[in-house]
Amino acid sequence: MIRTRLAIAFSALAVLALAQSAFAWWAASTAADLAGRSVNATRMLAEYLEISGNKQRLKVWYAQRMLANDPAPEVRDALIESMQASVIALRELAEQSPPEVREFERAEARTVADNIANMTRAIEAVERPGGVVVSAEQWRTVLLAFDELAGRDMRELLRQAVDRSEARSLAASAELTRALDRIRQVELLLAISLGTLAVLSVLYFVRQLDRPFAALARMSGSLAAGDFQARTGLKGRDEFARIGGLLDSMAGRLSEAQERSRQLQRELEELVSERTRSLTHAYETLLGIEARRRQFFAELSHEIRTPVTVIRGEAEVALRDRSDTGAQARSLERIVQATVDLSGRVADLLEAARSGSLEYALCVRRERLPEVVSSAVSQMQAVAAHRGIRLELRAGPGSADVLVEADRERLQQALVILLDNALRYSPQGARVTVELDVDAEHCLVGIADEGMGLTEEELLNAFEPNFRGEAGRRLAPQGSGLGLTIARRIVEAQGGSIELHNRPAGGLLATLALPLAYPLEAG
């Protein structure tokens, strides 16, 4: 019953709302049409006035030209061009006129256009250079060309056109005003009807629904508090009485189920106690696996960002100087190399997903360290150029043919991380220097920047996961603090080490040391 009444009330509201919407659409369309007619008539009035004024100016120009041979021809051309533009506008406006006057306005526009063309030809026929005075007959011919066309008085035609356009504009404006008044009255009536029906519906249903809702709310509160002996007390045949009966029946069943639940709870407590110990052990194991998984994917995501940065930097450098095809080819080569590195990181991700292993696989071979370092420096040149930093590579004595036992791709990955950090935290215009050197047992790669450096306490924690110095957080707040952690894991897995020191002149020096693949020969 309540549903039927609600349906009737909402249907009535919907019908009124639809009627109001339909009327609003019709009113907007009518107002737009009347406004368009008013604008069209006003614009035609302006164009006819412009043509009339320009004809008078041209007549004055012609008289001065014939009597004193003084005015410049440019004035004539400008006036004729303006009148021709007005004729074009009149033709367009005639096409937009109401259907009942459209054909007439087209004919009037053609007549005005013919008059302007005839007038132009007459002026050109009698105008002579050198100040020669024309005959009275020629004067009359030109003046007739101004004021008549095929026996029609063009002055009267323009005056009638002006009056007609003005009358149309005023009529359309008046009709628009009357239409808006009618629209406001009907809209007010619809709004009052809709509001009245809505208020009456709300008052009626609030009174009808208050008591059963209160009873159901009390019953729900009692059930929520665990009192399964409460009852709604609703009687009748409406929806709320049926719901109340269902709640009363449910309360009785819940009371019975509560007792059975207590018995089952005691049995479950014993079972849960036995299973808790095994689940706790499994949970701790899963936590360890999850921690390793999160660390692995965080590191891999960090490493995917570096090749993408290189690709972007190389592309921007290549686009800045499109005329240098050689530089573009070199940039494309470095982009290809960065893409290979990116493919390697994606391969790591796929391998981890396939095998479940969360460790980096190494493929150790004997490699020339200068080639690996040079490749990493070349890969980061575009990033350095994009950031306005000079990146230089220097090789010490005896370092040209240094061999190491290493995974070339992983070692280059670690070098790129150190170079990216040096470039990221160096100011624009600074210099980052990469020095390659050897001692008796190790080959050394030093990367020196001119950034803000680290405090002594920050140097002790620099290789911890997610650690970042205070100055670094201010300069690049989007960093993750994983780069140095990844680089140290890669280098230590290949028997090497990384150390950080503050430079006396300012900035940071990162030193990467790897064991030589063979002892250096003396001399």
Side-chain angles (χ1 to χ4, degrees), residues 40-68:
N40 179 271
T42 302
R43 290 182 59 191
M44 293 189 75
L45 172 62
E47 295 299 338
Y48 278 121
L49 289 173
E50 181 72 12
I51 291 174
S52 179
N54 284 333
K55 284 184 66 176
Q56 290 301 116
R57 297 184 192 99
L58 185 60
K59 187 181 293 186
V60 171
W61 176 91
Y62 175 71
Q64 292 176 348
R65 178 72 171 176
M66 293 297 100
L67 295 174

Side-chain angles (χ1 to χ4, degrees), residues 489-508:
R489 287 181 58 191
I490 292 173
V491 173
E492 288 182 350
Q494 301 178 65
S497 63
I498 298 178
E499 295 182 357
L500 298 178
H501 300 283
N502 283 318
R503 300 173 63 204
L508 198 66

Side-chain angles (χ1 to χ4, degrees), residues 399-420:
S399 62
D401 296 320
V402 173
L403 296 177
V404 293
E405 295 288 343
D407 184 320
R408 181 187 182 97
E409 181 182 353
R410 296 299 182 190
L411 180 56
Q412 183 171 332
Q413 179 183 350
L415 289 168
V416 166
I417 291 173
L418 297 177
L419 289 170
D420 184 57

Side-chain angles (χ1 to χ4, degrees), residues 364-369 401-406 438-443 494-495 513-521:
V364 178
R365 296 189 182 90
R366 181 165 291 189
E367 302 285 352
R368 290 184 179 274
L369 184 60
D401 296 320
V402 173
L403 296 177
V404 293
E405 295 288 343
V438 294
D439 59 19
E441 298 180 355
H442 295 85
C443 56
Q494 301 178 65
L514 286 172
L516 294 169
Y518 61 92
L520 289 177
E521 297 179 359

Side-chain angles (χ1 to χ4, degrees), residues 284-299 358 489:
E284 292 174 351
T285 304
L286 288 174
L287 284 180
I289 295 174
E290 176 64 14
R292 291 196 299 275
R293 184 192 68 81
R294 290 169 63 89
Q295 180 70 18
F296 174 79
F297 284 108
E299 293 178 1
L358 301 180
R489 287 181 58 191

